[in-house]
Amino acid sequence: MESEQVMLPGLAWAQQSYSPTDGAASDRDEEESAAKPRYEAIDREQLFWRTINVERLIAPDHAARAIWEFVGKLDLSGYSGEVRAVEGKAGRPAWEPRLLISLWVYAYGQGVGSARAIEELCEWDPAYQWLTGASVVNAHTLSDFRVKHDAALNGLFVQILGVLSADGLITLERVMQDGTKIRASAASDSFRSKERVERALQQAQEQVEAVDEMSEEETSRRAAKARQRAQREREERLGLAIEEFKKLEAEGSIKDKKKTRVSTSDPQARVMKQPDGGFAPSYNVQVNTDAANAVIVAVEVVQAGNDFEQLTAGLDRVEHNLGETPAQVVADGGYVSRDNIVEMKLSGVEFIGPQCDEAGKGQGSYEGRGVSPQYHSSQFVYEAASDSYRCPQGKRLSYEGKEERHTQVSYRYRAQRSDCQGCAVKSQCCPGNQVTGRSIHRSEELAEVAEFRHKMQTEEARKIYRQRAQIAETPNLWIKAKFGLRQFSVRGLSKVGMEALWACLTYNIRVWIRLRWRPLGEVATAAV
Ligand code: SF4
């Protein structure tokens, strides 16, 4: 019986162009060297079915496995309260919190901060497919999960710190505090005065009322529904902007009502100075980092642009999260104030910061203003009985007021305008002053401030302070550069706070993976 021959694609061409019975060997060699090489065709248009072993989609030491394992250690019961799908009842089962948390943690670590992007990645990215078991989690579920569980998320952050602490990664011997500005989801030109916001709110309310009066048929179309939703959201944001004006008024932070502006996109954002010197709508993210392994031990998003008032609050958060206060706190010049120095002294936390030497600055400014040494303030004589000074020309400088600045309190004294403007030595005493009499300041330094200043002159304290930048700025760098969180994707202080918390707990889990996690295979090998 003759065997059946199956012609494979490509073989026919080969048989036409080459026969083993053709010519001599040298002729064949010549022909072969003249023919073009043949390569496997790549067909990217084809559709095919393939068997996938989900477990083998990613390597044994892949970060997604570590995240899944780590999240599996945590008590996630705080998330189960709102799950409506329960066993024994009909309906679609919910996605388990362990999966949604793992997806967000893995995504933030890859620089992905959008729920829609995660949904798309679930369709083709092996790591996301491994996490979901090759299913797709929709963007709405992911988006809601990220910002709907404030208390549970805070609890999760604390639990993660507990795991890291038990693994010896946190010591609380030295904690750095630093603030970083992250841009809000608001444009610089979205800021409006109260008057304009009130007008816009009235228009928005009228538009919403008009839509409410439309017939069901008119509003049933998808586009109309989307428009209706957008108008309601705009009305809500404008209402929040009015609330924000009220809050600013109650705080007494409005100096000029006409000049005060609030964003209509994210009313709780504030215009803050950026590291590049510019200004942009932002939030101030306060981060406390344990120096032992650069673990973030506390985080809070605040609306204040400066850091002076954030030090004690930061240490309170550390205590809340870990049950104890650090032995030492290191922070930059933005945190050095009399109040903070005194507060740290009272709470028993050693404060390390930059040197503050006001005397040096004063000397420099005399030279800059052209004041002769015989007219420096040290040459003026204080008279306690009348609480005034006598200048070298015998004129009186009376008490004018008190000034508080960073680490110092000073009392200002001023001479009569008529005495100075007609004085023969004015060009040596106050050459630039064409309007008033000469003033001098009597400074008062608290014992705590003097102690801090002396300590920061020692090499030991300076050496500790030099560590600050690297340790404190490491998490900020990771969050902004690696996780891509240079701008929040959500709006409002509460949601922004949760996004910052997601980024920080992702960072902490990454520290644990780097320093403690060993893939199962490696553990088994090590045990042999
Ligand atoms: S300028 Fe005024 S303060 Fe200075 S020496 Fe003359 S009178 Fe005194």
Side-chain angles (χ1 to χ4, degrees):
M1 185 183 156
E2 279 185 20
S3 64
E4 194 183 343
Q5 277 200 332
V6 178
M7 188 67 78
L8 296 173
L11 191 56
W13 176 87
Q15 286 187 338
Q16 279 169 16
S17 59
Y18 166 70
S19 163
T21 57
D22 281 353
S26 59
D27 293 339
R28 276 203 316 270
D29 292 347
E30 217 171 276
E31 277 177 31
E32 278 176 13
S33 62
K36 286 184 180 172
R38 222 159 23 95
Y39 298 115
E40 197 70 50
I42 297 170
D43 180 4
R44 296 202 172 93
E45 302 298 316
Q46 65 183 314
L47 300 172
F48 63 90
W49 293 100
R50 187 163 81 175
T51 307
I52 293 176
N53 182 341
V54 177
E55 189 53 46
R56 296 189 66 180
L57 277 172
I58 56 173
D61 61 351
H62 197 283
R65 290 182 192 274
I67 291 167
W68 181 253
E69 183 187 320
F70 186 92
V71 177
K73 292 170 187 275
L74 308 172
D75 173 9
L76 306 180
S77 54
Y79 284 94
S80 51
E82 285 184 29
V83 178
R84 275 176 284 172
V86 289
E87 284 180 12
K89 288 208 171 170
R92 198 174 170 182
W95 293 108
E96 61 170 318
R98 182 180 179 183
L99 170 64
L100 299 175
I101 293 166
S102 300
L103 278 173
W104 272 117
V105 169
Y106 182 73
Y108 270 116
Q110 300 300 307
V112 177
S114 142
R116 198 155 298 284
I118 297 176
E119 181 184 326
E120 281 172 22
L121 286 161
C122 285
E123 290 179 10
W124 60 268
D125 186 290
Y128 291 85
Q129 287 189 315
W130 183 87
L131 282 168
T132 62
S135 297
V136 175
V137 182
N138 76 56
H140 283 301
T141 303
L142 287 159
S143 181
D144 287 350
F145 184 81
R146 176 165 61 167
V147 295
K148 268 199 171 173
H149 305 276
D150 194 356
L153 188 64
N154 276 291
L156 196 67
F157 184 76
V158 173
Q159 274 195 71
I160 292 169
L161 290 182
V163 174
L164 269 62
S165 187
D167 274 354
L169 295 174
I170 299 170
T171 65
L172 289 189
E173 283 170 15
R174 181 172 297 150
V175 164
M176 313 296 185
Q177 181 155 346
D178 198 22
T180 185
K181 311 284 174 10
I182 295 185
R183 290 191 177 214
S185 177
S188 296
D189 61 3
S190 67
F191 284 73
R192 303 275 183 279
S193 67
K194 190 178 180 188
E195 205 177 300
R196 285 190 65 182
V197 173
E198 281 170 341
R199 274 207 307 269
L201 178 60
Q202 196 179 344
Q203 281 171 1
Q205 283 167 340
E206 283 165 7
Q207 281 168 351
V208 168
E209 279 166 23
V211 170
D212 285 346
E213 283 164 14
M214 284 163 75
S215 68
E216 213 171 286
E217 195 184 333
E218 283 175 303
T219 54
S220 63
R221 289 192 309 275
R222 213 172 158 186
K225 281 207 162 130
R227 220 171 26 248
Q228 190 179 17
R229 196 168 53 243
Q231 278 166 352
R232 284 197 191 283
E233 282 171 4
R234 179 171 156 73
E235 184 197 8
E236 201 179 313
R237 278 203 308 276
L238 291 167
L240 285 173
I242 295 293
E243 288 304 312
E244 211 53 29
F245 277 113
K246 287 181 188 164
K247 195 172 118 188
L248 289 170
E249 277 167 17
E251 283 171 359
S253 349
I254 295 184
K255 288 187 188 115
D256 184 341
K257 278 191 180 180
K258 284 188 179 165
K259 286 186 181 167
T260 304
R261 303 274 188 276
V262 162
S263 167
T264 50
S265 307
D266 184 351
Q268 291 181 312
R270 296 285 183 270
V271 175
M272 293 180 190
K273 194 168 185 185
Q274 306 297 305
D276 62 7
F279 290 85
S282 310
Y283 287 95
N284 182 355
V285 183
Q286 292 289 314
V287 175
N288 293 81
T289 309
D290 187 85
N293 290 289
V295 171
I296 297 174
V297 286
V299 58
E300 181 78 9
V301 176
V302 297
Q303 292 171 289
N306 69 61
D307 294 330
F308 284 121
E309 291 165 13
Q310 309 307 327
L311 192 66
T312 45
L315 296 182
D316 288 347
R317 285 191 292 273
V318 175
E319 188 180 10
H320 171 266
N321 292 343
L322 285 154
E324 56 181 305
T325 45
Q328 191 180 68
V329 64
V330 185
D332 68 18
Y335 296 86
V336 179
S337 69
R338 293 169 86 235
D339 289 348
N340 283 339
I341 291 169
V342 172
E343 193 65 42
M344 291 302 106
K345 181 80 180 169
L346 288 173
S347 57
V349 178
E350 190 188 10
F351 183 23
I352 300 285
Q355 231 176 312
C356 50
D357 189 352
E358 295 292 334
K361 283 185 199 169
Q363 198 68 23
S365 64
Y366 278 140
E367 284 166 15
R369 287 184 285 139
V371 180
S372 302
Q374 59 269 39
Y375 295 100
H376 285 182
S377 55
S378 56
Q379 304 302 312
F380 289 56
V381 180
Y382 180 63
E383 293 177 353
S386 59
D387 188 21
S388 63
Y389 277 87
R390 288 274 173 196
C391 77
Q393 293 292 313
K395 301 295 182 189
R396 185 186 296 276
L397 284 80
S398 306
Y399 175 72
E400 192 178 63
K402 181 179 166 186
E403 290 175 10
E404 286 190 53
R405 191 174 151 72
H406 301 182
T407 55
Q408 280 193 328
V409 170
S410 65
Y411 302 93
R412 193 176 57 252
Y413 296 80
R414 193 178 294 280
Q416 293 286 326
R417 178 181 186 277
S418 52
D419 287 339
C420 296
Q421 294 302 329
C423 177
V425 295
K426 180 178 171 293
S427 61
Q428 297 170 61
C429 180
C430 49
N433 186 354
Q434 308 300 333
V435 182
T436 60
R438 163 81 192 263
S439 71
I440 62 167
H441 289 77
R442 179 167 64 87
S443 296
E444 189 179 81
E445 189 172 59
L446 292 177
E448 290 89 342
V449 175
E451 190 187 327
F452 174 83
R453 201 158 48 76
H454 290 139
K455 177 178 69 186
M456 288 317 303
Q457 283 166 354
T458 64
E459 183 49 31
E460 191 189 353
R462 288 183 189 192
K463 199 172 157 193
I464 296 169
Y465 184 68
R466 283 199 290 273
Q467 298 173 2
R468 189 205 69 84
Q470 197 196 346
I471 298 168
E473 287 166 17
T474 295
N476 293 343
L477 207 64
W478 267 74
I479 289 165
K480 283 186 172 174
K482 292 217 176 207
F483 301 173
L485 189 59
R486 290 192 178 84
Q487 180 171 27
F488 287 110
S489 55
V490 290
R491 288 169 172 161
L493 190 59
S494 167
K495 288 182 181 176
V496 157
M498 281 192 266
E499 188 166 27
L501 209 51
W502 275 109
C504 291
L505 65 85
T506 298
Y507 167 85
N508 281 349
I509 292 175
R510 287 275 165 173
V511 172
W512 178 84
I513 293 172
R514 182 166 52 83
L515 299 176
R516 288 290 181 270
W517 185 63
R518 293 290 171 269
L520 277 176
E522 273 188 38
V523 174
T525 311
V528 169

